[in-house]
Amino acid sequence: MRIESLAGIQVETVLKLRRAYEKLRQLYFADAQVSDLSGYEVLILLLADKPKSAKRFSEELACKPAQITGYVSRLESLGFLKRKISLSDKRSFTFELTKKGQQRATFLFTFTFDRFKSNTTLTEEENRELIRLLKKV
């Protein structure tokens, strides 16, 4: 097998994953329906079940910490997150959901889950297999 064909397969895989992600995001994720929040802001609210640093959010979302800082700052200004300074290191802090943030996160999760559940044709076993395969990528 030639290198070009291997690279072609990888490029095709990446493109198919990108198209699938966009389709899923538009069909199921609340950020496509809630105009006041971006996709990353929605995901941060959904991931903020426990206090997390901007660095931790960036690791989980696979993007740069500087991007996350802007998103969490905006969510903080909207009253969805609050900053909690570390007692052991006054230079570091975490973000946690406010009551308003918890309500919005619950709404976003319910909206996304309900849309996914009512529109997907994947079985529970197929969903598990998809997750297993995506972890390999």
Side-chain angles (χ1 to χ4, degrees):
M1 186 175 279
R2 294 183 342 172
I3 291 177
E4 293 89 20
S5 61
L6 282 176
I9 291 170
Q10 290 174 345
V11 169
E12 183 180 356
T13 302
V14 169
L15 291 174
K16 291 220 182 266
L17 285 170
R18 177 70 181 144
R19 280 190 218 110
Y21 165 76
E22 254 329 292
K23 183 178 178 185
L24 288 170
R25 190 185 71 74
Q26 289 175 358
L27 280 175
Y28 305 121
F29 284 102
D31 69 306
Q33 311 296 321
V34 181
S35 61
D36 62 330
L37 298 176
S38 73
Y40 277 116
E41 290 167 342
V42 169
L43 291 172
I44 288 168
L45 287 178
L46 294 175
L47 291 171
D49 54 334
K50 295 177 184 156
K52 291 185 178 149
S53 66
K55 181 180 178 186
R56 183 73 179 138
F57 281 125
S58 72
E59 290 167 355
E60 290 182 2
L61 295 172
C63 66
K64 296 177 182 172
Q67 285 179 284
I68 295 298
T69 301
Y71 295 130
V72 295
S73 293
R74 181 168 182 277
L75 290 169
E76 184 180 25
S77 71
L78 292 171
F80 294 130
L81 294 177
K82 64 181 174 183
R83 194 177 301 236
K84 188 175 181 182
I85 297 173
S86 170
L87 297 175
S88 60
D89 181 359
K90 301 291 184 195
R91 297 170 296 164
S92 66
F93 49 86
T94 57
F95 293 92
E96 58 185 48
L97 288 173
T98 62
K99 182 86 165 160
K100 182 179 176 182
Q102 289 171 343
Q103 291 170 343
R104 180 55 77 92
T106 299
F107 164 76
L108 293 169
F109 177 79
T110 303
F111 179 89
T112 300
F113 183 76
D114 289 348
R115 293 272 313 232
F116 183 76
K117 192 171 142 187
S118 66
N119 290 305
T120 189
T121 58
L122 295 176
T123 66
E124 203 171 314
E125 184 178 323
E126 289 170 331
N127 272 313
R128 279 197 282 284
E129 179 66 10
L130 177 61
I131 291 168
R132 186 187 72 72
L133 291 171
L134 288 173
K135 285 180 180 178
K136 288 183 162 190
V137 175

